[in-house]
């Protein structure tokens, strides 16, 4: 466990361990939950499809393409839950493959009208 105070900035880093140096790591979706085994019932979205959902979420420039860095302000699920667990989905793409999902950034999906 990592202990932080409310509203304290929390910084995270993920790194890819591979002998292939031509890979890029991208943070796609991160959610928080008060339950380490249930990330569907009560969740708080930090990012979704590469888009920041939480206003305090901020990506940071990584030292290498196989590293992803981001931060956000610590929060709690009301006062009933003493812990918050994170689950992040990261994408691995070829470095400098600008057509890959890693280089598209925020991918907002728009719903189409079902009228016609």
């Amino acid at each position: 466990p990592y202990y932080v105070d409310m509203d304290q900035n929390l910084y995270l880093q993920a790194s890819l361990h591979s002998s292939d140096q031509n890979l890029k790591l991208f943070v796609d979706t991160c959610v928080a939950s008060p339950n380490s085994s249930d990330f569907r019932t009560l969740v708080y979205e930090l990012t979704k499809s590469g888009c920041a959902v939480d206003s305090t979420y901020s990506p940071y420039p990584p030292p290498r393409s196989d590293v992803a860095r981001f931060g956000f302000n610590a929060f709690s699920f009301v006062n009933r839950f003493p812990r918050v667990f994170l689950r992040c989905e990261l994408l691995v793409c070829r470095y400098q493959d600008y057509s890959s999902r890693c280089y598209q950034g925020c991918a907002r999906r728009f719903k189409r009208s079902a009228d016609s």
Side-chain angles (χ1 to χ4, degrees):
Y2 186 76
Y3 299 95
V4 294
D5 294 324
M6 290 292 296
D7 293 325
Q8 179 181 344
N9 288 331
L10 183 61
Y11 301 98
L12 290 96
Q13 173 175 298
S15 57
L16 183 62
H17 298 277
S18 171
S19 58
D20 188 343
Q21 299 295 314
N22 291 314
L23 298 175
K24 179 171 176 63
L25 196 58
F26 176 73
V27 179
D28 185 64
T29 299
C30 281
V31 297
S33 170
N35 186 337
S36 64
S37 60
D38 180 5
F39 285 87
R40 293 178 186 236
T41 306
L42 178 60
V43 295
Y44 180 80
E45 292 181 328
L46 292 166
T47 65
K48 185 173 185 177
S49 299
C51 305
V53 177
D54 179 272
S55 63
T56 68
Y57 176 89
S58 182
Y60 292 100
R64 300 181 317 272
S65 64
D66 61 347
V67 173
R69 290 180 171 173
F70 62 93
F72 58 93
N73 282 20
F75 61 92
S76 71
F77 285 89
V78 195
N79 289 328
R80 300 182 298 158
F81 305 100
R83 296 184 179 115
V84 174
F85 298 89
L86 295 178
R87 174 178 280 172
C88 295
E89 296 176 11
L90 294 102
L91 301 176
V92 178
C93 303
R94 283 269 159 225
Y95 181 63
Q96 293 185 335
D97 177 2
Y98 298 107
S99 65
S100 72
R101 177 68 189 90
C102 292
Y103 286 92
Q104 294 172 10
C106 175
R108 296 203 188 277
R109 295 186 178 117
F110 299 101
K111 294 182 180 178
R112 287 188 255 174
S113 173
D115 292 343
S116 56

